[in-house]
Amino acid sequence: MENGVIYSGGGLPSNIWLNYLLNFENIFVLGRRSNNTKDKKVISSHDNVNFHLTQNYTSVKDLIFNISKIKEEISTLIEKVDLVLIRLPSVLGFIAGEIALKKIKKYGSSKLETQMKHLVIKDHY
């Protein structure tokens, strides 16, 4: 993120959110913050798309030592949404799937961008 603008490694350009916004007024995207320039190929920011970029998971070491914080962070976000779309494979996606199942939230997993849900889980931004 630079100056409030969210960048993606190329997999989620800003126009992809138009598909989601056909069905929802707002969507929330969970990902992990990356300072790597290879993850800044395209702008992903878009109106009515809110990004939550975790700082608790930036490395495998963080994952091990912060797993409770990460689960709590994801759980709090899942409580606020109606539906969860999980992009796999993704560490955050697997964690979110487990939490969504326990909370009996509607969820789906797909690599296809055409499935419309409310919360999108992706690993890098």
Side-chain angles (χ1 to χ4, degrees), residues 60-124:
V60 173
K61 180 181 174 184
D62 284 347
L63 178 63
I64 293 167
F65 288 105
N66 295 333
I67 190 68
S68 295
K69 288 182 188 177
I70 294 166
K71 286 182 176 183
E72 182 61 33
E73 187 175 13
I74 293 172
S75 182
T76 299
L77 291 170
I78 288 176
E79 285 292 327
K80 298 176 183 179
V81 301
D82 301 318
L83 300 163
V84 179
L85 173 63
I86 302 165
R87 297 188 77 231
L88 297 174
S90 160
V91 171
L92 293 176
F94 287 120
I95 295 169
E98 177 185 29
I99 293 168
L101 279 171
K102 288 179 182 176
K103 292 184 178 293
I104 313 174
K105 284 282 186 171
K106 293 180 182 177
Y107 71 96
S109 65
S110 176
K111 291 184 180 182
L112 299 176
E113 303 299 336
T114 56
Q115 286 196 16
M116 309 309 161
K117 304 298 181 205
H118 202 93
L119 175 67
V120 180
I121 312 288
K122 185 173 186 310
D123 263 349
H124 287 89

Side-chain angles (χ1 to χ4, degrees), residues 4-63:
V5 177
I6 305 293
Y7 292 87
S8 168
L12 292 172
S14 62
N15 65 346
I16 201 71
W17 305 121
L18 295 173
N19 293 331
Y20 294 84
L21 292 167
L22 290 172
N23 295 291
F24 299 100
E25 290 181 21
N26 294 290
I27 59 173
F28 299 89
V29 179
L30 169 67
R32 63 182 177 139
R33 184 179 302 268
S34 174
N35 293 322
N36 193 327
T37 56
K38 75 175 179 66
D39 293 323
K40 296 182 179 178
K41 293 180 181 172
V42 298
I43 293 175
S44 193
S45 296
H46 194 284
D47 292 339
N48 298 326
V49 178
N50 303 291
F51 290 84
H52 179 89
L53 303 180
T54 184
Q55 295 184 16
N56 289 314
Y57 171 38
T58 58
S59 67
V60 173
K61 180 181 174 184
D62 284 347
L63 178 63

